Amino acid sequence: MSTVPMSVHDAIAARRDVRAEFSGEVVADDVLERILTAAHRAPSVGNTQPWDFVIVRNEDTLRRFAAHVAQCRADFAASLPADRAETFDPIRVEGIVPSGTGIVVTYDESRGGDHVLGRATVRDTGLLSVALAIENLWLAGVAEGIGVGWVSFYDEEFLRDLIGAVDVRPVAWLCVGPVTEFQEVPDLERFGWRPRRALSEAIHHERWGRQG
Ligand SMILES: Cc1cc2nc3c(=O)[nH]c(=O)nc-3n(C[C@H](O)[C@H](O)[C@H](O)COP(=O)(O)O)c2cc1C
């Protein structure tokens, strides 16, 4: 993948959740530093910056996490009705080992102390701040030819133990690595799980439900 400069709109349009397109190379340290810098520049409630990034490259750890995710995927598959299970069957939900690098993004609710400016009435704003850091990382990755795949098929306690996280919540495991290509259409759409909604369906005027 080339790393020609791209506009933020181009990066947003090209971004994909990557599972199968990791090239097998490992993301270079300077590139990783740049995309983590982008993540760390995210806005956050009360400027708390409640995220941390645990970089995992140990092959044994990657394999242990992949085995755990495979079990969670199997449990989910078993919970599905037959038609959904058939659609789900060919869909990959992770590229943990092939990506070569996992980044566990954590949330520290205590950061900022007892009086977080802006979180008093909407507690979720802390968690939302972490999600913004992840999106920054995801888009900066696209600009660098680096794919990101968000994995949420895990038991939080398992992941906490795996990385030794105490008092912080693992919010995401991101598979991060160079890719051979970015798919044009999301996997879940290509495999018939769920298509993207039209923008017009998401826009309401003045009050919920007033559309068109
Ligand atoms: C909070 C969150 C959790 C996700 N968890 C997973 C996951 O466990 N496995 C996976 O393959 N993709 C996961 N995804 C990726 C979505 O499936 C993907 O974003 C969606 O299908 C749209 O595709 P796109 O990102 O390529 O546009 C997750 C995305 C988000 C935002």
Side-chain angles (χ1 to χ4, degrees):
M1 292 286 304
S2 68
T3 56
V4 288
M6 50 168 47
S7 78
V8 71
H9 287 290
D10 290 340
I12 288 168
R15 186 207 55 78
R16 279 280 73 78
D17 185 84
V18 175
R19 305 118 197 253
E21 292 80 18
F22 291 108
S23 69
E25 295 159 89
V26 174
V27 57
D29 286 344
D30 58 331
V31 176
L32 188 59
E33 173 93 16
R34 283 198 294 274
I35 65 176
L36 287 171
T37 299
H40 194 55
R41 284 185 173 143
S44 61
V45 66
N47 206 17
T48 48
Q49 305 147 66
W51 48 72
D52 286 279
F53 309 101
V54 181
I55 300 164
V56 182
R57 282 180 165 156
N58 178 286
E59 201 171 325
D60 180 55
T61 312
L62 296 179
R63 289 194 185 283
R64 279 170 60 204
F65 186 61
H68 171 72
V69 168
Q71 186 56 54
C72 294
R73 185 193 187 285
D75 292 345
F76 178 67
S79 76
L80 295 171
D83 59 331
R84 287 268 88 183
E86 199 179 320
T87 310
F88 182 60
D89 189 48
I91 298 177
R92 284 187 67 145
V93 299
E94 53 86 12
I96 299 160
V97 173
S99 67
T101 302
I103 300 181
V104 185
V105 187
T106 60
Y107 171 45
D108 182 353
E109 195 176 19
S110 71
R111 198 156 305 149
D114 291 334
H115 307 287
V116 173
L117 190 160
R119 203 184 63 185
T121 53
V122 185
R123 197 82 194 166
D124 289 345
T125 46
L127 204 50
L128 296 172
S129 305
V130 177
L132 291 169
I134 294 171
E135 179 72 344
N136 272 12
L137 186 157
W138 215 333
L139 293 174
V142 174
E144 300 272 1
I146 298 298
V148 173
W150 184 324
V151 182
S152 57
F153 277 78
Y154 60 79
D155 174 65
E156 260 188 53
E157 279 310 309
F158 179 91
L159 184 50
R160 217 189 287 247
D161 283 354
L162 189 71
I163 61 164
V166 185
D167 297 334
V168 293
R169 197 172 161 197
V171 173
W173 175 292
L174 304 177
C175 307
V176 177
V179 291
T180 51
E181 60 170 336
F182 288 104
Q183 293 286 347
E184 280 186 21
V185 179
D187 278 18
L188 267 56
E189 186 161 345
R190 285 194 300 133
F191 289 106
W193 181 263
R194 186 179 302 281
R196 193 160 276 278
R197 299 158 69 209
L199 173 62
S200 58
E201 284 179 28
I203 296 177
H204 307 243
H205 297 279
E206 310 297 345
R207 287 179 64 80
W208 177 268
R210 269 198 216 156
Q211 293 183 289

